[in-house]
Amino acid sequence: MKNIFYILISLFTLTSCQKEIDLDLTDQSGNIVIEGNITDQAGPYIVRITKTVGVSQPNQYPAVTGAKVTLSDDTGQTEILQYIGQGKYQTTNFVGASGRTYTLKVQAEGKEYTAQSTMPEVVYFQGLVQDSFNFGNKKSYTLLPVFTDPLALGNRYLFSFTINNLTKKTFNVFSDNVNNGLPNQRPLILPNDDNDGRDHEVVVGDTIHVEMQCIDNSIFTYYNALLQISDGNGGGVTPANPPSNISNGALGYFSAHTSSTMDYVIQ
């Protein structure tokens, strides 16, 4: 079946020692899909609830309305989200902070779905360093995120970037199973070929918008599984769904993560 969104993963930069994951490849059209994010940045935060469609149907995912969506944390903070249209439910006063554990509860169409995510402590995003290399007759570029992994083992990172004003987002997942407690050595590989119509060939003057997230292990597992089920070129609609951290058979994910962003102009 169709996955809930288009996603690209850099095979070069994903390092992990995860166990093999069994993926359900059956058609699950009509299932609830929940996508929720809370960060250490100012809200509002959005939880989007839709339904899946079959392989032969257009990429138009029906919105789920009339749901009761509640967000709470381990300090007693709680809020019922307000529906704003297109399957989106939004907070009003809720505040996200690192170190807290968040619980999402969704009551929709006679069923209840729950999920938990703990927002890691922030690891500071200190900068981006450009490098380049020749690939065939073209120059290719990389950006090295500058940060130092904490000494404690178990940190997980999600990097994403977009180019100029394009909406396509490329994702990279890092773990500290390699290079624990040391300055980061894993670059983001920028696209150098637009012949297939999916990538923009990065050239001098392009602006790269980079986000660094510190994520918990369940979200790392979710994106790690996407590597197994994405196509060989790393850029199509995935044929199945990665393991969700949401109960009762819902697809999607609930992520509490830190977020830092930087822009870099290719020179």
Side-chain angles (χ1 to χ4, degrees), residues 177-197:
N177 295 347
V178 177
N179 214 46
N180 177 56
L182 299 173
N184 175 52
Q185 298 177 6
R186 287 164 287 188
L188 309 176
I189 309 299
L190 306 182
N192 75 335
D193 186 4
D194 60 359
N195 291 334
D196 61 4

Side-chain angles (χ1 to χ4, degrees), residues 61-72:
Y61 304 107
V64 173
T65 62
K68 182 179 180 182
V69 181
T70 306
L71 191 61
S72 59

Side-chain angles (χ1 to χ4, degrees), residues 246-263:
I246 304 172
S247 73
N248 207 13
L251 306 179
Y253 66 92
F254 172 56
S255 176
H257 56 266
T258 67
S259 175
S260 302
T261 59
M262 286 191 180
D263 291 348

Side-chain angles (χ1 to χ4, degrees), residues 160-195:
S160 64
F161 66 84
T162 57
I163 304 167
N164 298 328
N165 59 350
L166 301 177
T167 57
K168 180 172 294 181
K169 185 176 289 189
T170 300
F171 293 83
N172 301 264
V173 184
F174 295 171
S175 79
D176 65 351
N177 295 347
V178 177
N179 214 46
N180 177 56
L182 299 173
N184 175 52
Q185 298 177 6
R186 287 164 287 188
L188 309 176
I189 309 299
L190 306 182
N192 75 335
D193 186 4
D194 60 359
N195 291 334

Side-chain angles (χ1 to χ4, degrees), residues 125-132 141-147 184 186-188 190 210 262-267:
F125 189 9
Q126 298 171 305
L128 291 162
V129 176
Q130 176 184 321
D131 199 0
S132 62
Y141 298 94
T142 67
L143 286 178
L144 178 71
V146 180
F147 68 94
N184 175 52
R186 287 164 287 188
L188 309 176
L190 306 182
V210 181
M262 286 191 180
D263 291 348
Y264 189 93
V265 178
I266 299 297
Q267 304 173 15

Side-chain angles (χ1 to χ4, degrees), residues 12-29:
F12 179 85
T13 55
L14 185 134
T15 58
S16 68
C17 295
Q18 297 291 303
K19 295 180 180 178
E20 183 174 330
I21 299 169
D22 292 326
L23 299 171
D24 184 359
L25 302 179
T26 60
D27 186 348
Q28 300 181 53
S29 58

